[in-house]
Amino acid sequence: MKIVFFSLFPNLILPYFQDSILKKALDKNLFEIEVVNFRDYAKNRHKKVDTELVGGGAGMIIDNDALRYALESYKNKFPQARTIFLTPVAKKYNQKDAIRLANEEVLFLVCGRYEGFDERLIEDFADEVLSIGDYVLTGGELGALVIADSVLRNVKGVLGNSESLEGESFGNNLLEAPNFSKKGEVPSILKSGNHKKVQEWRRKLSILKTKFHRPDLLY
């Protein structure tokens, strides 16, 4: 898999892949990343990428030029890419999306700034628009990293042990059951050696935890 980030601030993206599991997977060429600063595609003298809102209103928006040129250029290179715009005006992202997108060959994650994008960019290039939650950030980079992380951990080999994906939260619309380390007192069932009983206990706790924290998942 290859992920291409379109951002005005590449230094917000790159450090995330310099440590931990994703760094190891990147070193093994299990995926690729590229960050495109679409300011480089601005054709005006001062490399401006923002413009005032038509019809009035506070703030600026990403204009219809530099990002358009960048996306056109990369669409020519990777015609199979799935293009996702990060914006709060969108469907809320979830684990099912992460699993689905892990099957893509190339992902374009387009990070907004200011008051968002010129709508024509979304209409012309977006395969889908996604939001990571019901709140507003100063830019789309954090949202893009959230999506990248959650997608990549579902790519074969990235986690090392594929069993780590089993029983996670949001599988079967349930939150994961509580986990414990070996030190100190823990529920005795976990030390019983009866795997069937342990699985039943975990499912029961998973349901109770979901009812308490996220009852919306059960209906």
Side-chain angles (χ1 to χ4, degrees):
M1 165 174 278
K2 181 181 179 73
I3 299 181
V4 182
F5 298 85
F6 293 81
S7 169
L8 293 173
F9 300 97
N11 288 337
L12 295 180
I13 302 289
L14 294 170
Y16 192 75
F17 298 92
Q18 294 176 3
D19 287 292
S20 193
I21 291 171
L22 293 184
K23 172 65 162 59
K24 293 177 182 177
L26 188 61
D27 289 343
K28 293 178 181 177
N29 297 316
L30 295 175
F31 67 91
E32 297 177 53
I33 62 165
E34 183 175 354
V35 184
V36 178
N37 186 342
F38 56 86
R39 188 184 300 277
D40 295 337
Y41 288 78
K43 296 185 178 181
N44 59 78
R45 180 180 176 184
H46 299 292
K47 295 289 184 180
K48 279 178 58 66
V49 297
D50 59 338
T51 186
E52 295 177 352
L53 296 161
V54 175
M60 309 285 277
I61 62 166
I62 292 173
D63 67 26
N64 194 27
D65 291 327
L67 180 53
R68 176 174 293 274
Y69 298 140
L71 287 169
E72 285 175 345
S73 174
Y74 272 76
K75 274 290 190 180
N76 287 332
K77 295 180 184 178
F78 305 103
Q80 78 278 33
R82 186 160 191 83
T83 303
I84 298 170
F85 279 66
L86 281 299
T87 167
V89 188
K91 168 192 175 296
K92 193 183 294 185
Y93 181 71
N94 60 40
Q95 181 68 6
K96 290 180 181 179
D97 293 319
I99 295 170
R100 168 176 61 86
L101 293 173
N103 294 312
E104 294 291 334
E105 191 175 336
V106 182
L107 283 180
F108 289 173
L109 300 179
V110 188
C111 307
R113 280 277 154 176
Y114 317 123
E115 294 298 313
F117 306 97
D118 184 305
E119 189 68 19
R120 289 166 291 187
L121 292 166
I122 294 175
E123 292 174 355
D124 292 345
F125 293 100
D127 293 305
E128 56 186 300
V129 289
L130 293 174
S131 166
I132 62 166
D134 296 339
Y135 44 86
V136 180
L137 300 170
T138 56
E141 287 78 12
L142 283 174
L145 287 171
V146 165
I147 290 176
D149 186 298
S150 59
V151 166
L152 288 170
R153 66 194 308 278
N154 285 283
V155 171
K156 185 177 180 180
V158 168
L159 289 188
N161 185 354
S162 60
E163 291 183 4
S164 299
L165 295 170
E166 296 177 8
E168 289 190 316
S169 291
F170 309 111
N172 299 318
N173 291 327
L174 293 174
L175 299 182
E176 187 173 356
N179 292 305
F180 301 88
S181 65
K182 292 182 178 180
K183 291 183 178 180
E185 294 186 11
V186 300
S188 59
I189 184 67
L190 296 176
K191 293 183 176 181
S192 69
N194 189 326
H195 297 296
K196 183 179 179 181
K197 291 289 186 181
V198 170
Q199 288 301 106
E200 290 174 353
W201 180 87
R202 281 180 170 155
R203 178 166 177 78
K204 180 180 178 181
L205 268 290
S206 180
I207 292 171
L208 290 174
K209 205 168 190 179
T210 305
K211 283 182 177 179
F212 185 84
H213 291 291
R214 291 291 304 277
D216 58 294
L217 292 174
L218 299 171
Y219 304 104

